[in-house]
Amino acid sequence: MKTLEQLVRPNIWKLKPYSCARNEFHGNATTFLDANENPYNAPYNRYPDPLQTTLKNKLFQVKGVKPQQIFLGNGSDEPIDLTIRIFCEPGLDNIVAIDPTYGMYEVAADINGVEYRKVPLSENFEMSASKLLDATDEHTKLIFLCTPNNPTGNCLDRAEIYKVLSRFEGIVIVDEAYTDFSSEPSHTKDLATFPNLIVFQTFSKAWGSAGIRLGMAFASKEIIEIFNKVKYPYNMNVLTQERALYMLEGSETVKTWVQILLKERERLKTLLKEIPCVQKVYPSEANFLLIEVGDANAAYQHLVTSGVIVRNRNNISLCRGCLRVTVGTPEENNIFVDTLKSWKQ
Ligand code: PMP
């Protein structure tokens, strides 16, 4: 790996961060008159903890990653954008990513004026480390991987991920938004081995909390320090922090949801395979299935007309004729299956 000083944009490396009131004073006091807050309307009158210490300590217990190695943001979209802004010089540096994958990596690269290079997966949605590495040059700062991958649903081959991590001199992001639905262990265990690894996870999927906007990035202490320098001072509000703590107390419930969804995923797969228009159901380690139905636009329209909304992936690379359907409750899944069955091609 290159040094962080070689990888981080020079302006970010030199940045002197804003020091907010809650950073300057830590500890107990009786009278807080430092942040121009309103003394009324407790507890929401106070700015939140800028480093979300209580929440990170709790996440340490659940995820086994030290608080200094955790960044929390407004959904995963915040660390996606921050990673690009920290490492990629607009108009000069580039990003390499598997294709197809989660669309926000490319959008965030476009917003930041950073070239985004797509390396196609195989027909079976497998990744080749050597193809990815061949697409890099001296200006490639980041490689984006997503496992289980969206929209394909499969896990990338672990040995290929390790090849990328050990051979690439820049930063490798492994987005594990769907990891709780997968049989593969998380790559957070690899943080000690690979200083160039950043793992993303989210509260939006297994944790059932897309509405609170809480994304997590796990990385070396040194990388997280740079995230903390660049983020908005109070990037995570009090309500999100409170609700996340509440969810972490009830992690048994989350495990039960995951078990139900995994069973439903398998049941849905079996039911779908019996429908004549379904040509293929791709293997999935996530909470969705990618299915090939032939004329995906027509199938999608039929479903929409019946009030059932899925994601039409017809125009995504390697996904022609495909719909992506989220695993819902047993009732929702039955409605979807019955509606698709009633489609006359
Ligand atoms: N990563 C992947 C792979 C996703 O599919 C999604 C959302 N669909 C996200 C990240 C975004 O998650 P969040 O809600 O945390 O922004």
Side-chain angles (χ1 to χ4, degrees), residues 74-77 80 102 105 146 148 150 175 177-178 201-205 210 213-215 324:
N74 188 339
S76 305
D77 295 337
I80 291 170
Y102 179 44
Y105 313 142
C146 181
N150 177 9
D175 187 341
Y178 300 97
Q201 290 185 13
T202 177
F203 266 60
S204 297
K205 311 295 172 186
R213 309 309 299 131
L214 177 47
R324 192 197 70 193

Side-chain angles (χ1 to χ4, degrees), residues 264-282 284 288-293 303 308 310 323-327 332-341:
E264 273 303 296
R265 182 179 75 196
E266 296 318 301
R267 189 180 73 90
L268 186 57
K269 201 189 284 179
T270 311
L271 290 175
L272 284 169
K273 282 181 175 165
E274 287 162 10
I275 305 180
C277 75
V278 176
Q279 295 165 10
K280 183 160 185 174
V281 183
Y282 285 93
S284 172
F288 57 83
L289 291 173
L290 186 72
I291 59 172
E292 202 178 323
V293 292
L303 288 160
V308 179
V310 299
L323 301 175
R324 192 197 70 193
V325 57
T326 308
V327 179
E332 288 171 324
N333 299 332
N334 290 341
I335 291 172
F336 166 65
V337 167
D338 290 344
T339 312
L340 192 61
K341 259 188 205 160

